[in-house]
Amino acid sequence: MNRKWGMITGVTVLSLVVAGCTPGGPTGGNQDSGDGQTVIRVSWWGSDERHNMTTEAIALFEEKNPDIRVEPEYTGFDSYWERLTTQAAGSNLPDVIQMDTSKLEQYISSELVLDLNELIENGTINMDDVEDVYQEMNIKDGSTYAIASGANAFSTLYNEALFEKYDINLEPGYTYDDLYEAMDTVSKGEGDGAWGFDFVKAEYEAFTHYARQFEQHLYGEDGQLGFEDQTLVDFLTLEKNMIDNGVSTPHDVTVEINDSGESMIANREAAMAVGASNGVIGIQPMSEDPIGVNVLPVAEGATAPGDWIRPSMSFSISAATDKQEAAGKFIDFMTNDIEGNEILMAERGVPISSEVRNHLLDQVDESVAKTFEFLEIVGERAGESEPLPPPGEAEVRASFNRMLEAVKYGDMTPEEGAETFRSEAEQILD
């Protein structure tokens, strides 16, 4: 058993002794549908491919658990959260909820999701093969509010053919100065219409990685901003220099390409871009060149790792359900069942169970295998996980992006941008 799960067991036992029962915790009493089966509703968002894979996996789950029947509920991402909000208002949330990390704190603070510690402690959800770094973001104050259904890490994606053409080799541990020099070589070599680096409108995440290297966070554990203004000024200055000197894509080009659904590294319009590690799976089919995945640069004067492993998405259980055991069995199946994961094929991200990862490594295609191998690298470099984003995160992100655009276009200095963002963000979070 991993260290974290041993600790959780102790916390759960203590809370039960003190309180008699964890509020909203498992009762062990499942309702019967009338035909001897327990019916659970499972919701998720995603593409047609995910829907097909998940419904096929559900059929296998029902075959292995004939006393449980699953009613699926799935839709696109935006309508998914609108639907859950309506269901929550009507006390009618699905029993199992596919959860995004950006939304989890909101569901925890509204007491809508169950503490899963007891289901882990009693073995309904087996976490023996799960390393701590894959689950830490789903734990708050010792309680586990979700189980990652896949994992990724923030990364850079790069066109391997362009790297070979310009003899670029950026080993993990490379610096922003190394990045600038390499990307400047590509920009000058490729000429008009091509740049070395593309931030892909992902500066919000890139700054999170940057700040972590100075033992700061975009959000602190208290839900407020957790970084110094000078850190943001340094990051904005670094990016603006890259854009102004033609090393990175201008903002209007980034927006146009990003909104079109294309990829500059796939089109050979850039050599390297910011992105989630599993982004390589979506970009590779768009490119004739092999696409690689690497860590982000190390900042000058860094004192801590910037890397961490995060859930690409997770599963939570509704705090209102009386079918906790059946819901827990479903999450355990999605986490640990080898045959089930042969159907799911890591579509939700790198499996968090080491046994499942090892089993699938020879079965997944080359781009998926790269994400497996990349997370092994990140796992060796990773620092502590990020605190969960607070309620209001979407509004703060929008404020960050407005400020960033103004700085890129020269309407604000980096100093003015940092001051403006802090003022707006603190009003949102208060």
Side-chain angles (χ1 to χ4, degrees), residues 83-109:
R83 181 174 181 170
L84 284 184
T85 298
T86 302
Q87 291 174 325
S91 301
N92 188 36
L93 279 173
D95 302 290
V96 178
I97 305 164
Q98 185 170 287
M99 181 61 64
D100 187 80
T101 301
S102 67
K103 305 287 186 182
L104 182 56
E105 176 63 44
Q106 177 182 342
Y107 278 70
I108 294 172
S109 60

Side-chain angles (χ1 to χ4, degrees), residues 3 97 138 184 230 236 251 357 362 374 383 397 400:
R3 173 179 54 80
I97 305 164
N138 286 328
D184 186 44
Q230 187 59 48
L236 294 171
H251 185 65
R357 285 199 306 277
D362 294 333
F374 178 69
R397 178 188 288 267
F400 184 93

Side-chain angles (χ1 to χ4, degrees), residues 144-223:
T144 307
Y145 290 102
I147 303 296
S149 55
N152 65 21
F154 209 53
S155 69
T156 54
L157 308 174
Y158 63 97
N159 185 303
E160 294 183 4
L162 283 174
F163 266 49
E164 184 176 351
K165 178 180 179 180
Y166 291 98
D167 194 25
I168 296 171
N169 183 23
L170 296 175
E171 293 287 341
Y174 70 98
T175 67
Y176 273 99
D177 286 342
D178 296 330
L179 175 73
Y180 186 99
E181 182 179 351
M183 297 300 102
D184 186 44
T185 299
V186 175
S187 293
K188 290 175 177 173
E190 292 297 295
D192 291 344
W195 294 265
F197 197 77
D198 181 20
F199 277 94
V200 200
K201 295 173 66 176
E203 289 91 344
Y204 183 83
E205 287 79 9
F207 173 64
T208 301
H209 182 277
Y210 186 89
R212 285 171 56 85
Q213 299 184 55
F214 299 97
E215 301 173 57
Q216 300 171 34
H217 300 276
L218 184 53
Y219 303 106
E221 294 286 355
D222 60 357

Side-chain angles (χ1 to χ4, degrees), residues 12 15-16 20-29 111 113-119 122 145 317-325:
T12 301
S15 65
L16 287 171
C21 179
T22 303
T27 64
E111 300 183 350
V113 289
L114 187 71
D115 177 358
L116 305 178
N117 282 359
E118 188 171 349
L119 290 171
N122 68 24
Y145 290 102
I317 295 178
S318 167
T321 185
D322 58 357
K323 305 171 185 177
Q324 297 96 340
E325 183 178 354

